[in-house]
Amino acid sequence: MAKIKLSDYAKVARPQNIDEIMLLAERLQGKTIKMVNSTNTGGGVAEMLHRIIPLYNDLGLKVKWDVIKGNNAFFNTTKAFHNALHGKKEEITQAMLDAYVETNEDNSKELTFEEDYIVIHDPQPAALINLKDKTKGKWIWRCHIDTSHPDPRVWDFLNKYVSRYDASIFSAPSFAKELPIPQYLIYPSIDPFADKNRELSQSEINDVLRKYQIPTDKPIITQVSRFDYLKDPLGIFETYKLVRKHVNCRFVYAGGTASDDPEGTQVLHELQERAANEPDFHILLLPNFADVAVNALQRASTIVMQKSLREGFGLTVTEALWKAKPVVASAVGGIPLQVIPNFTGVLVHSAEGAAYQIRYLLNNPAVMKKLGEYGREHVREKFLMTRTLRNYLLLFLSLQHPGEGLIKL
Ligand code: UDP
């Protein structure tokens, strides 16, 4: 496939967006950027970085992406942080805090920070800020987590680091915190040309369904998510049982595990045990980089679910909306920014609610079609990658002009 260029996005995104990007990039020529996170596969952050970095390069801005290294003790700690920041009760010991600090120190010795803008993603590498005084760049902490109700102990611990950055970025207004540094709101986004979102032919979709042995004899209701309790796979199974009392359909829970998530296998086994005698509840363990498979499963679905208990933004919702699918999703994290009730999808608060809405939709194809159409336009307007790129460029530029009320472009 030919390399996708920024100009190609004018065909699907709003063309004004592309003009703005070019203008902003001109003002940033020669600048360098570093992105740091903790995994290059699995999860939404890695997904977005893979897609957006080539566009920066296309604009003449050099971006380097580094992934921090850590052992099990570190990733167990950061997973507990992740859960606790999402409001889940977690035991955090002093040894865990020590593992966090030590791993960040070890990584500090390996990494260099000579760039003009350093974007640190999520809590895992946040303590790299200790190097700030030795660098010339502006440091930005990009939080992808729903921090609206964090465990105060973990937030206070992280806050010591976060408050030393030059700026922070959150994904939704409700995630913003009391901080002494500027906070910016930037929505995550999807790439319409990525294998995960591009148009697929019917034969490509059929190949995937055949490979994963999903017959097309009944409506398919799908959730694509990592095997993580916060994605509520057991709640999906409960929903399936409730729906199946009235409607004959299949459910698919498809996901992989991320290298920075040690809980995945346990969650997978628990779900497999629950669904052992249910041939119409399909559990698919996807390999990394199964993008066409994810795309095909979403496109083959009659309804896409995202029944998360907590959610950062929920890129899977964005992906499904872009494919004009009716979405039934929990009203958590960034999902309500995407799913406007009964306009771009349906919001639910329980397995019972989800089951009720799925039954209603399956009986009302015209409603499903309308939700899908509006959902796609909502994504075009707000959640395509070009919009994120534009907002980052604006942020970089504004950091070049601290304290100036008006920046002339
Ligand atoms: N994803 C994937 N394979 C999987 C599970 C998820 O490619 O097995 C993708 C999914 O399509 C989406 C991203 O990983 O692009 C997950 O992002 P989201 O914001 O929904 O959740 P996160 O995993 O970051 O909590």
Side-chain angles (χ1 to χ4, degrees):
M1 193 171 138
K3 188 172 167 279
I4 303 286
K5 296 187 301 300
L6 186 65
S7 52
D8 295 322
Y9 288 83
K11 292 176 211 144
V12 284
R14 310 189 123 244
Q16 303 93 302
N17 241 216
I18 313 299
D19 297 341
E20 286 164 2
I21 288 171
M22 307 293 271
L23 176 73
L24 293 166
E26 232 171 77
R27 301 293 183 276
L28 288 162
Q29 282 308 298
K31 299 288 181 201
T32 53
I33 300 158
K34 168 154 299 178
M35 302 279 180
V36 183
N37 80 326
S38 61
T39 177
N40 56 14
T41 53
V45 179
E47 172 74 22
M48 281 187 288
L49 290 175
H50 275 296
R51 301 302 307 182
I52 206 164
I53 288 174
L55 290 191
Y56 282 106
N57 292 331
D58 213 25
L59 287 165
L61 302 173
K62 286 212 179 62
V63 182
K64 187 155 188 271
W65 175 9
D66 283 330
V67 176
I68 58 162
K69 296 194 191 90
N71 56 18
N72 283 347
F74 174 72
F75 285 121
N76 284 328
T77 302
T78 55
K79 178 68 190 188
F81 277 13
H82 180 94
N83 290 341
L85 289 170
H86 274 295
K88 195 171 165 232
K89 268 261 148 299
E90 287 282 344
E91 201 198 334
I92 309 280
T93 62
Q94 188 56 45
M96 291 165 85
L97 299 181
D98 292 345
Y100 175 82
V101 173
E102 274 162 30
T103 302
N104 269 275
E105 273 171 10
D106 291 347
N107 279 282
S108 302
K109 290 174 200 146
E110 303 281 318
L111 302 173
T112 56
F113 293 95
E114 285 151 11
E115 292 76 5
D116 298 296
Y117 304 103
I118 294 137
V119 186
I120 304 288
H121 293 262
D122 280 337
Q124 294 92 329
L128 293 175
I129 191 70
N130 282 340
L131 288 174
K132 183 178 180 217
D133 291 343
K134 296 186 187 135
T135 63
K136 65 170 172 111
K138 299 282 183 193
W139 287 67
I140 300 153
W141 186 59
R142 201 311 176 210
C143 179
H144 296 272
I145 299 176
D146 174 355
T147 43
S148 48
H149 301 94
D151 176 334
R153 199 171 152 223
V154 173
W155 176 251
D156 290 348
F157 173 78
L158 276 177
N159 199 3
K160 286 190 308 224
Y161 301 110
V162 170
S163 52
R164 288 160 53 203
Y165 280 75
D166 294 299
S168 57
I169 307 174
F170 292 88
S171 296
S174 59
F175 303 172
K177 312 297 307 162
E178 279 288 316
L179 282 175
I181 59 171
Q183 298 177 61
Y184 293 82
L185 170 67
I186 299 185
Y187 297 136
S189 55
I190 57 163
D191 182 351
F193 296 123
D195 270 345
K196 191 167 289 173
N197 298 307
R198 68 174 169 83
E199 297 293 326
L200 292 182
S201 66
Q202 194 56 47
S203 78
E204 281 176 296
I205 297 173
N206 292 344
D207 284 350
V208 171
L209 294 177
R210 211 171 304 117
K211 174 170 175 194
Y212 288 102
Q213 299 175 2
I214 317 274
T216 51
D217 51 345
K218 318 171 188 178
I220 298 173
I221 293 110
T222 301
Q223 176 161 313
V224 175
S225 289
R226 292 177 290 104
F227 289 93
D228 180 329
Y229 289 113
L230 294 181
K231 305 290 183 186
D232 203 19
L234 303 181
I236 296 274
F237 184 63
E238 217 177 299
T239 308
Y240 160 81
K241 287 205 301 195
L242 292 168
V243 174
R244 280 291 303 239
K245 283 186 189 161
H246 306 275
V247 190
N248 196 6
C249 58
R250 297 183 180 280
F251 269 51
V252 174
Y253 189 105
T257 51
S259 65
D260 61 350
D261 179 3
E263 276 175 356
T265 315
Q266 192 186 324
V267 177
L268 167 66
H269 289 158
E270 213 172 317
L271 184 62
Q272 280 171 330
E273 226 166 77
R274 286 280 168 104
N277 298 317
E278 295 290 341
D280 289 344
F281 191 93
H282 301 258
I283 302 169
L284 312 186
L285 180 58
L286 301 178
N288 286 330
F289 302 113
D291 289 3
V292 174
V294 169
N295 188 345
L297 290 169
Q298 289 167 332
R299 286 183 191 278
S301 302
T302 317
I303 294 172
V304 171
M305 282 190 81
Q306 192 60 47
K307 211 199 151 302
S308 306
L309 301 174
R310 296 276 190 280
E311 191 55 76
F313 183 72
L315 279 176
T316 46
V317 170
T318 331
E319 289 157 9
L321 293 175
W322 181 244
K323 293 168 184 115
K325 292 294 161 182
V327 171
V328 174
S330 306
V332 295
I335 291 177
L337 295 168
Q338 307 186 64
V339 174
I340 302 166
N342 305 320
F343 183 58
T344 67
V346 178
L347 289 179
V348 294
H349 300 86
S350 63
E352 288 76 15
Y356 173 83
Q357 294 291 356
I358 289 169
R359 282 173 52 201
Y360 169 78
L361 289 175
L362 289 177
N363 286 315
N364 290 279
V367 177
M368 289 201 280
K369 188 159 180 283
K370 269 275 163 268
L371 293 177
E373 282 167 9
Y374 289 138
R376 182 170 165 95
E377 289 316 305
H378 190 47
V379 173
R380 191 192 309 282
E381 177 77 25
K382 291 208 156 124
F383 309 122
L384 291 185
M385 205 172 61
T386 37
R387 175 130 183 196
T388 301
L389 183 60
R390 163 190 171 271
N391 289 350
Y392 265 90
L393 297 180
L394 261 177
L395 165 58
F396 294 150
L397 207 56
S398 76
L399 289 175
Q400 289 301 112
H401 301 263
E404 284 178 42
L406 182 69
I407 304 169
K408 201 155 173 276
L409 292 177

Coordinates of all heavy atoms in Angstrom, one line a residue, residues 42-48 82 86 144 188 190 196-197 224-228 231 254-258 284-291 294-295 298 306 308 310-319 323, ligand 1:
G42 N -0.1 -3.1 22.2 CA -1.2 -3.3 23.1 C -1.7 -2.0 23.7 O -0.9 -1.2 24.2
G43 N -3.0 -1.8 23.7 CA -3.5 -0.6 24.4 C -3.6 0.6 23.4 O -2.9 0.6 22.4
G44 N -4.3 1.6 23.9 CA -4.6 2.7 23.0 C -3.4 3.7 22.8 O -3.3 4.3 21.7
V45 N -2.6 3.8 23.8 CA -1.5 4.8 23.7 C -0.5 4.3 22.6 O -0.1 5.1 21.7 CB -0.7 4.9 25.1 CG1 0.4 5.9 24.9 CG2 -1.7 5.3 26.1
A46 N -0.1 3.1 22.7 CA 0.8 2.6 21.6 C 0.2 2.7 20.3 O 0.8 3.1 19.3 CB 1.2 1.1 22.0
E47 N -1.1 2.4 20.2 CA -1.8 2.4 19.0 C -1.7 3.8 18.4 O -1.4 4.0 17.2 CB -3.3 2.1 19.3 CG -4.3 2.3 18.2 CD -4.2 1.2 17.2 OE1 -3.7 0.1 17.5 OE2 -4.6 1.4 16.0
M48 N -2.0 4.8 19.2 CA -2.0 6.2 18.7 C -0.6 6.7 18.3 O -0.4 7.3 17.2 CB -2.5 7.2 19.7 CG -4.0 7.2 19.8 SD -4.7 8.4 20.9 CE -4.2 7.8 22.5
H82 N -2.5 2.3 38.0 CA -3.5 2.5 37.0 C -4.9 2.2 37.6 O -5.8 3.0 37.4 CB -3.2 1.5 35.8 CG -4.2 1.6 34.7 ND1 -3.9 2.4 33.6 CD2 -5.4 1.0 34.4 CE1 -4.9 2.3 32.7 NE2 -5.8 1.5 33.2
H86 N -7.9 4.9 38.6 CA -9.3 4.8 38.1 C -10.3 4.6 39.2 O -11.5 4.3 39.0 CB -9.4 3.5 37.2 CG -9.0 3.8 35.8 ND1 -9.7 4.7 34.9 CD2 -8.0 3.4 35.0 CE1 -9.2 4.7 33.7 NE2 -8.1 3.9 33.7
H144 N -3.6 9.6 30.0 CA -4.6 8.9 29.2 C -5.7 8.3 30.1 O -6.5 7.6 29.6 CB -4.0 7.9 28.3 CG -3.1 8.4 27.3 ND1 -3.5 8.9 26.0 CD2 -1.7 8.6 27.3 CE1 -2.4 9.3 25.4 NE2 -1.4 9.2 26.1
P188 N -8.2 11.9 22.5 CA -7.5 10.9 21.7 C -8.2 10.8 20.4 O -9.3 11.4 20.2 CB -7.7 9.6 22.6 CG -8.0 10.1 23.9 CD -8.7 11.4 23.7
I190 N -8.5 8.5 16.3 CA -8.1 7.3 15.5 C -7.6 7.8 14.1 O -7.9 8.9 13.6 CB -9.3 6.4 15.3 CG1 -10.5 7.1 14.7 CG2 -9.7 5.7 16.6 CD1 -11.5 6.1 14.1
K196 N -6.7 -0.9 11.1 CA -7.8 -1.1 12.0 C -9.1 -0.3 11.6 O -10.2 -0.7 12.1 CB -7.3 -0.6 13.4 CG -8.3 -1.0 14.5 CD -7.7 -0.9 15.8 CE -6.6 -1.9 16.1 NZ -5.9 -1.7 17.3
N197 N -8.9 0.7 10.8 CA -10.1 1.5 10.5 C -10.4 1.6 9.0 O -11.5 2.1 8.7 CB -9.9 2.9 11.1 CG -9.8 2.8 12.6 OD1 -10.6 2.3 13.3 ND2 -8.7 3.4 13.1
V224 N -14.3 -5.5 21.7 CA -12.9 -5.7 21.5 C -12.2 -5.0 22.7 O -12.3 -3.8 22.8 CB -12.4 -5.1 20.2 CG1 -10.9 -5.2 20.1 CG2 -13.1 -5.8 19.0
S225 N -11.5 -5.7 23.5 CA -10.8 -5.1 24.7 C -9.7 -6.0 25.2 O -9.9 -7.3 25.1 CB -11.8 -4.9 25.9 OG -12.7 -3.8 25.6
R226 N -8.7 -5.4 25.8 CA -7.8 -6.3 26.5 C -8.5 -7.1 27.6 O -9.6 -6.7 28.0 CB -6.7 -5.4 27.2 CG -5.8 -4.7 26.3 CD -4.8 -3.8 27.0 NE -5.5 -2.6 27.6 CZ -5.8 -2.5 28.9 NH1 -5.4 -3.4 29.8 NH2 -6.3 -1.4 29.4
F227 N -7.9 -8.2 28.0 CA -8.5 -9.0 29.1 C -8.2 -8.3 30.4 O -7.1 -8.5 31.0 CB -8.1 -10.4 29.1 CG -8.7 -11.2 27.9 CD1 -8.0 -11.2 26.7 CD2 -9.9 -11.7 28.0 CE1 -8.6 -11.9 25.6 CE2 -10.5 -12.3 26.9 CZ -9.8 -12.4 25.7
D228 N -9.1 -7.4 30.8 CA -8.8 -6.6 32.0 C -10.2 -6.4 32.7 O -11.2 -6.2 32.1 CB -8.4 -5.2 31.4 CG -8.1 -4.2 32.5 OD1 -8.7 -4.2 33.6 OD2 -7.2 -3.3 32.3
K231 N -12.5 -3.7 31.9 CA -13.3 -3.7 30.7 C -14.5 -4.5 30.9 O -15.3 -4.7 30.0 CB -12.4 -4.3 29.5 CG -11.1 -3.6 29.3 CD -11.3 -2.2 28.7 CE -9.9 -1.6 28.4 NZ -10.1 -0.2 28.0
A254 N -13.3 -10.2 22.1 CA -12.0 -10.4 21.4 C -10.9 -9.5 22.0 O -11.2 -8.3 22.2 CB -12.1 -10.1 19.9
G255 N -9.8 -10.0 22.4 CA -8.8 -9.2 22.9 C -7.5 -9.8 23.0 O -7.3 -11.1 22.9
G256 N -6.5 -9.0 23.3 CA -5.2 -9.6 23.6 C -4.7 -9.1 25.0 O -5.6 -8.7 25.8
T257 N -3.5 -9.3 25.2 CA -3.0 -8.7 26.5 C -1.9 -7.7 26.2 O -1.2 -7.8 25.1 CB -2.4 -9.9 27.4 OG1 -1.5 -10.6 26.6 CG2 -3.5 -10.8 27.9
A258 N -1.7 -6.7 27.0 CA -0.6 -5.8 26.8 C 0.6 -6.1 27.6 O 0.5 -6.7 28.7 CB -1.1 -4.4 27.1
L284 N -12.1 -14.7 21.9 CA -10.9 -14.8 20.9 C -9.7 -14.1 21.5 O -9.7 -13.0 22.0 CB -11.3 -14.0 19.6 CG -12.6 -14.3 19.0 CD1 -12.7 -13.5 17.6 CD2 -12.8 -15.7 18.7
L285 N -8.6 -14.9 21.6 CA -7.4 -14.3 22.1 C -6.6 -13.9 20.8 O -6.1 -14.7 20.1 CB -6.6 -15.4 22.8 CG -5.2 -14.9 23.4 CD1 -5.4 -13.7 24.3 CD2 -4.5 -16.0 24.1
L286 N -6.6 -12.5 20.7 CA -5.9 -12.0 19.5 C -4.4 -11.8 19.7 O -4.0 -11.4 20.8 CB -6.6 -10.6 19.1 CG -8.1 -10.6 18.9 CD1 -8.5 -9.2 18.6 CD2 -8.4 -11.5 17.7
P287 N -3.6 -12.0 18.7 CA -2.2 -11.7 18.8 C -2.0 -10.2 18.7 O -3.0 -9.5 18.4 CB -1.6 -12.4 17.6 CG -2.7 -12.5 16.6 CD -4.0 -12.6 17.4
N288 N -0.8 -9.7 19.0 CA -0.5 -8.3 18.8 C -0.6 -8.0 17.3 O -0.4 -8.9 16.5 CB 0.9 -8.0 19.3 CG 1.0 -8.0 20.8 OD1 0.0 -7.7 21.4 ND2 2.1 -8.4 21.3
F289 N -0.9 -6.8 17.0 CA -1.0 -6.3 15.6 C -2.0 -7.1 14.8 O -1.8 -7.5 13.7 CB 0.4 -6.4 14.9 CG 1.4 -5.6 15.7 CD1 2.5 -6.2 16.3 CD2 1.3 -4.2 15.7 CE1 3.4 -5.5 17.0 CE2 2.3 -3.4 16.4 CZ 3.3 -4.1 17.0
A290 N -3.2 -7.4 15.4 CA -4.2 -8.1 14.7 C -5.2 -7.0 14.2 O -6.4 -7.2 14.4 CB -4.9 -9.1 15.6
D291 N -4.7 -6.0 13.6 CA -5.5 -4.8 13.3 C -6.6 -5.1 12.3 O -7.7 -4.7 12.5 CB -4.6 -3.7 12.8 CG -3.8 -3.1 13.9 OD1 -3.8 -3.6 15.0 OD2 -3.1 -2.1 13.6
V294 N -9.3 -7.0 14.1 CA -10.2 -6.1 14.9 C -11.1 -5.3 14.0 O -12.3 -5.3 14.3 CB -9.3 -5.1 15.8 CG1 -10.1 -4.0 16.4 CG2 -8.5 -5.8 16.8
N295 N -10.6 -4.8 13.0 CA -11.4 -4.0 12.0 C -12.6 -4.9 11.5 O -13.8 -4.5 11.5 CB -10.5 -3.6 10.9 CG -11.2 -2.6 9.9 OD1 -12.4 -2.5 9.9 ND2 -10.4 -2.0 9.1
Q298 N -15.2 -5.7 14.1 CA -16.1 -4.6 14.4 C -17.1 -4.4 13.2 O -18.3 -4.2 13.4 CB -15.3 -3.3 14.6 CG -14.5 -3.3 15.9 CD -13.5 -2.2 16.0 OE1 -12.9 -1.8 15.0 NE2 -13.1 -1.8 17.2
Q306 N -19.1 -1.6 24.7 CA -17.9 -1.2 25.5 C -18.4 -1.1 26.9 O -18.8 0.0 27.3 CB -17.2 0.0 24.9 CG -15.8 0.2 25.5 CD -14.9 -1.0 25.3 OE1 -14.8 -1.4 24.1 NE2 -14.2 -1.5 26.3
S308 N -17.2 -1.1 29.8 CA -16.1 -0.8 30.8 C -16.6 -0.3 32.1 O -17.6 0.4 32.2 CB -15.1 0.2 30.3 OG -14.6 -0.2 29.0
R310 N -14.4 1.3 34.2 CA -13.7 2.5 34.1 C -13.1 2.6 32.7 O -12.8 1.6 32.1 CB -12.5 2.6 35.1 CG -13.0 2.5 36.6 CD -13.3 3.9 37.1 NE -13.5 3.9 38.5 CZ -14.6 3.5 39.1 NH1 -15.7 3.1 38.4 NH2 -14.7 3.5 40.4
E311 N -12.8 3.8 32.2 CA -12.2 3.9 30.9 C -11.5 5.2 30.8 O -11.9 6.2 31.4 CB -13.4 3.9 29.9 CG -13.0 3.7 28.4 CD -12.1 2.4 28.2 OE1 -12.7 1.3 28.2 OE2 -10.9 2.6 28.1
G312 N -10.3 5.1 30.1 CA -9.7 6.4 29.9 C -10.5 7.1 28.9 O -11.4 8.0 29.2
F313 N -10.4 6.8 27.6 CA -11.2 7.5 26.6 C -12.1 6.4 25.9 O -13.2 6.6 25.6 CB -10.3 8.1 25.6 CG -11.0 8.9 24.5 CD1 -11.7 10.1 24.8 CD2 -11.1 8.4 23.2 CE1 -12.4 10.8 23.8 CE2 -11.8 9.1 22.2 CZ -12.4 10.3 22.6
G314 N -11.4 5.3 25.6 CA -12.2 4.2 24.9 C -12.1 4.3 23.4 O -13.1 4.6 22.7
L315 N -10.9 4.1 22.9 CA -10.7 4.2 21.4 C -11.5 3.2 20.7 O -11.9 3.4 19.5 CB -9.2 4.0 21.1 CG -8.3 5.2 21.3 CD1 -6.8 4.8 21.0 CD2 -8.7 6.3 20.4
T316 N -11.8 2.1 21.3 CA -12.6 1.0 20.7 C -14.0 1.6 20.3 O -14.6 1.2 19.3 CB -12.8 -0.2 21.6 OG1 -13.1 0.3 22.9 CG2 -11.5 -1.0 21.6
V317 N -14.5 2.5 21.2 CA -15.8 3.2 20.9 C -15.6 4.0 19.6 O -16.4 4.0 18.7 CB -16.2 4.0 22.1 CG1 -17.4 4.9 21.7 CG2 -16.6 3.1 23.3
T318 N -14.5 4.8 19.6 CA -14.3 5.7 18.4 C -14.2 4.8 17.2 O -14.8 5.2 16.1 CB -12.9 6.4 18.6 OG1 -12.7 6.6 20.0 CG2 -13.0 7.7 17.9
E319 N -13.5 3.7 17.2 CA -13.4 2.9 16.1 C -14.7 2.3 15.6 O -15.0 2.3 14.4 CB -12.5 1.7 16.4 CG -11.0 2.1 16.6 CD -10.2 1.1 17.5 OE1 -10.7 0.0 17.8 OE2 -9.1 1.4 17.9
K323 N -17.0 3.3 12.1 CA -17.6 2.2 11.2 C -19.1 2.2 11.1 O -19.7 1.3 10.6 CB -17.0 0.8 11.6 CG -15.5 0.8 11.4 CD -14.9 -0.4 12.1 CE -13.3 -0.3 11.9 NZ -12.6 -0.1 13.2
Ligands
UDP1 N1 -6.9 -3.5 20.7 C1 -6.3 -4.3 19.8 N2 -6.3 -5.6 20.1 C2 -6.9 -6.1 21.2 C3 -7.5 -5.2 22.1 C4 -7.5 -3.9 21.8 O1 -5.8 -3.9 18.8 O2 -6.8 -7.3 21.4 C5 -6.9 -2.1 20.4 C6 -8.3 -1.4 20.2 O3 -8.8 -1.7 18.9 C7 -8.0 0.0 20.5 C8 -6.9 -0.1 21.6 O4 -6.3 -1.3 21.4 O5 -7.4 0.6 19.4 C9 -7.5 0.0 22.9 O6 -7.7 1.3 23.3 P1 -8.8 1.8 24.3 O7 -8.7 3.2 24.5 O8 -10.1 1.2 23.9 O9 -8.4 1.0 25.7 P2 -7.0 0.7 26.5 O10 -6.6 -0.7 26.1 O11 -6.1 1.8 26.1 O12 -7.5 0.8 27.9

